Amino acid sequence: MSGGAFAWDYGTKDEAKTMAERAAQFYRQYGKDRAFQAFQNGTDGFKDRDLYVFVYSNSGTCVSHGANPAMIGRNLIDLVDGEGKLMIREVVAVKTADWVVFQWRNPQNHEIQKKSSYVVRAGEYLFGVGAYDNPDPAQGGE
């Protein structure tokens, strides 16, 4: 049971997509104050293993982050990943919903890894949840 024994440690792309869609719907239903608080605190099912919600405004300002509260309130439009990709510019360019792929530090193992984030636009905000690529298919990887 080497690879499959740890399958619960990592979220999958399907789970990330579902959580991002739920986050946008939660925002539409309850408004930004309640939604952003839930995302930041990981309540209402918005934190699961390495899955968490991040939210950016159209201008690239982080308005909610489930893993790193130090990012909240900062305009990160010019933030680059480990490969020089302007990742937040790609996030805010999403028109309705799409995948954005970049390199990011995994909060579970602290390594820089490829992360596929599903981003959903709801009004002036973009709601994203990402899954780290994992080479073991038993763990939700590719």
Side-chain angles (χ1 to χ4, degrees), residues 4-63:
F6 299 102
W8 61 86
D9 290 342
Y10 299 96
T12 66
K13 289 181 182 179
D14 286 342
E15 291 169 324
K17 180 178 179 181
T18 297
M19 187 182 289
E21 291 170 340
R22 280 192 331 99
Q25 183 56 39
F26 192 87
Y27 160 76
R28 288 181 192 109
Q29 184 173 357
Y30 295 107
K32 71 176 186 176
D33 292 339
R34 180 170 172 188
F36 294 175
Q37 194 67 27
F39 305 154
Q40 288 159 212
N41 294 332
T43 57
D44 294 295
F46 291 111
K47 175 80 170 145
D48 180 13
R49 296 160 293 169
D50 60 338
L51 301 177
Y52 58 86
V53 178
F54 58 86
V55 185
Y56 284 88
S57 69
N58 284 324
S59 68
T61 298
C62 181
V63 295

Side-chain angles (χ1 to χ4, degrees), residues 1-10 134-140:
M1 296 236 352
S2 60
F6 299 102
W8 61 86
D9 290 342
Y10 299 96
N134 189 321
D136 182 350
Q139 294 184 23

